Amino acid sequence: MAVCIAVIAKENYPLYIRSTPTENELKFHYMVHTSLDVVDEKISAMGKALVDQRELYLGLLYPTEDYKVYGYVTNSKVKFVMVVDSSNTALRDNEIRSMFRKLHNSYTDVMCNPFYNPGDRIQSRWALLPVSASSPGGPYFLCPYPVQVGPTSCVRSSPGGPYSCVRSSPGEPYSLCPIQSRAFDNMVTSMMIQVC
Amino acid sequence: MADTVLFEFLHTEMVAELWAHDPDPGSGVSAGSRGEEVGATTGQKMSLSVLESMGFRVGQALGERLPRETLAFREELDVLKFLCKDLWVAVFQKQMDSLRTNHQGTYVLQDNSFPLLLPMASGLQYLEEAPKFLAFTCGLLRGALCTLGIESVVTASVAALPVCKFQVLIPKS
């Protein structure tokens, strides 16, 4: 199972990074960042190879003492980087390949989502963003988790599920930003739980 | 089968809907004529660019989905060949009839019986109306090229229906 999965755009900025939250995430971000050099090296080596030997799966990029890093590049030069625990020796190469193929399919579905603008970050959680102006009644925003009910908040159940509706105090206005790709996030979650 | 005409019907409706919002550039004279005519032509250009940008977004998604199993492309010509064969077959169920290039970044793709123009006429009738039916497809080509890493400018021209040529200009960087 993967410990960290990252999707990097062709201009080498991250579209999506997610790691299992047991340790500090920064270490994985750094690992993915350094692996980009290896990915570029492999892509340019592939460019010189014969047509028959070219493929999207790049294989093991580099091993560290605790982790192994695998890479995959799509035809649109979007890179997928997967960090796997080294102690999990049972993972075979074709299992990693199939995980990448599933990731590619999910990414293609995200691309076909009409609400997704290509080049944006792939988000799938309600994110609270500050806004500059708030409406007179105070902006209401939805949280996907129960919120402490206090003097300036109210709880309401919405048709979409167990969300609570909280009115923000004047000092901290928020607005919500939409879920774009829950399916992608679910796919990544399933990859972190089990080999698929 | 009815599958092929589904997109054609949708496309026809799209063009009709976008054009219905623009006033006709009147052939007669009206009081504020200069301003109105300019407004009308800019309105038409807006519709053309709206159509083209719709095609662009669709092309971006198609450019991601279609070449999934094919191996990475080596050079520009491979990408153009992919457009002429796989993309055209996926969208229009036929291949592009000819691809010419001057190897300096200009490619001319010619389709001798373009399915979106085929039901309209055969010959010179409706020649002025034809460009608006090509805007979406120009955007489609540009979007697919953009996903595959090539910035380009795509224009279309019609000499006689249903033969049309798409010119792809790839600026040298």
Side-chain angles (χ1 to χ4, degrees):
Chain A
M1 50 225 78
V3 174
C4 168
I5 291 186
V7 178
I8 318 277
K10 79 173 148 220
E11 292 90 0
N12 285 340
Y13 63 88
L15 290 173
Y16 181 86
I17 296 190
R18 174 125 166 258
S19 42
T20 52
T22 47
E23 297 153 36
N24 54 334
E25 293 188 14
L26 211 55
K27 180 174 69 171
F28 293 117
H29 286 220
Y30 181 67
M31 224 186 266
V32 168
H33 183 74
T34 50
S35 68
L36 285 180
D37 280 331
V38 187
V39 170
D40 280 337
E41 215 179 276
K42 292 222 172 201
I43 292 180
S44 55
M46 197 167 72
K48 299 184 194 107
L50 301 173
V51 183
D52 298 344
Q53 294 162 5
R54 292 152 65 85
E55 55 168 9
L56 306 174
Y57 175 65
L58 300 175
L60 181 67
L61 298 178
Y62 67 91
T64 63
E65 54 183 37
D66 293 324
Y67 302 104
K68 291 193 210 154
V69 184
Y70 292 90
Y72 180 100
V73 69
T74 68
N75 269 315
S76 49
K77 298 289 171 282
V78 168
K79 299 139 189 136
F80 300 133
V81 175
M82 192 184 303
V83 180
V84 173
D85 214 330
S86 266
S87 54
N88 211 336
T89 47
L91 272 179
R92 291 191 309 271
D93 201 44
N94 36 352
E95 285 173 358
I96 307 270
R97 273 179 207 259
S98 76
M99 280 164 83
F100 271 128
R101 206 173 312 128
K102 292 212 169 108
L103 205 60
H104 194 173
N105 290 346
S106 297
Y107 175 72
T108 315
D109 289 338
V110 168
M111 198 59 166
C112 296
N113 185 344
F115 298 108
Y116 172 73
N117 295 318
D120 287 351
R121 296 203 51 180
I122 302 177
Q123 291 158 314
S124 70
R125 290 269 133 82
W126 293 106
L128 300 179
L129 305 171
V131 293
S132 50
S134 53
S135 55
Y140 284 81
F141 59 89
L142 293 174
C143 318
Y145 46 82
V147 171
Q148 197 83 10
V149 178
T152 57
S153 64
C154 62
V155 176
R156 216 167 270 157
S157 69
S158 72
Y163 294 139
S164 51
C165 182
V166 178
R167 201 177 92 187
S168 74
S169 53
E172 20 172 348
Y174 286 102
S175 81
L176 54 83
C177 108
I179 287 183
Q180 283 161 338
S181 50
R182 205 176 249 156
F184 188 80
D185 213 43
N186 289 345
M187 164 68 56
V188 170
T189 314
S190 69
M191 273 192 210
M192 292 188 164
I193 298 174
Q194 60 180 18
V195 177
C196 51
Chain B
M1 289 266 93
D3 313 336
T4 56
V5 295
L6 290 175
F7 172 61
E8 287 172 32
F9 286 154
L10 185 64
H11 182 259
T12 316
E13 284 306 309
M14 265 171 16
V15 177
E17 179 63 27
L18 283 172
W19 234 256
H21 290 299
D22 292 321
D24 266 357
S27 53
V29 180
S30 51
S33 59
R34 182 140 262 169
E36 261 185 31
E37 276 174 18
V38 167
T41 41
T42 45
Q44 286 188 347
K45 283 195 187 119
M46 275 288 293
S47 299
L48 276 179
S49 61
V50 167
L51 270 176
E52 212 256 352
S53 55
M54 282 160 87
F56 182 75
R57 181 65 182 92
V58 175
Q60 278 185 318
L62 271 183
E64 190 68 51
R65 195 177 270 280
L66 282 180
R68 211 166 337 152
E69 293 308 319
T70 59
L71 306 175
F73 300 115
R74 270 192 119 176
E75 44 170 26
E76 264 174 26
L77 197 55
D78 284 342
V79 178
L80 266 295
K81 283 188 199 161
F82 160 78
L83 287 188
C84 293
K85 291 188 190 151
D86 301 315
L87 185 81
W88 227 244
V89 166
V91 183
F92 300 116
Q93 285 80 40
K94 65 184 282 287
Q95 287 192 5
M96 187 77 77
D97 291 312
S98 88
L99 167 67
R100 289 195 298 273
T101 174
N102 67 352
H103 295 287
Q104 307 286 340
T106 307
Y107 298 84
V108 178
L109 291 71
Q110 178 165 332
D111 193 330
N112 290 333
S113 55
F114 190 50
L116 296 178
L117 295 180
L118 209 49
M120 287 203 295
S122 179
L124 298 173
Q125 192 186 16
Y126 295 129
L127 205 55
E128 324 77 55
E129 313 286 335
K132 55 177 111 127
F133 288 89
L134 299 172
F136 183 88
T137 319
C138 291
L140 191 75
L141 287 169
R142 192 167 69 92
L145 282 167
C146 174
T147 318
L148 296 170
I150 301 178
E151 293 290 327
S152 59
V153 176
V154 181
T155 51
S157 64
V158 183
L161 274 70
V163 180
C164 66
K165 290 193 194 150
F166 296 94
Q167 191 186 40
V168 178
L169 281 161
I170 301 174
K172 285 285 171 209
S173 54

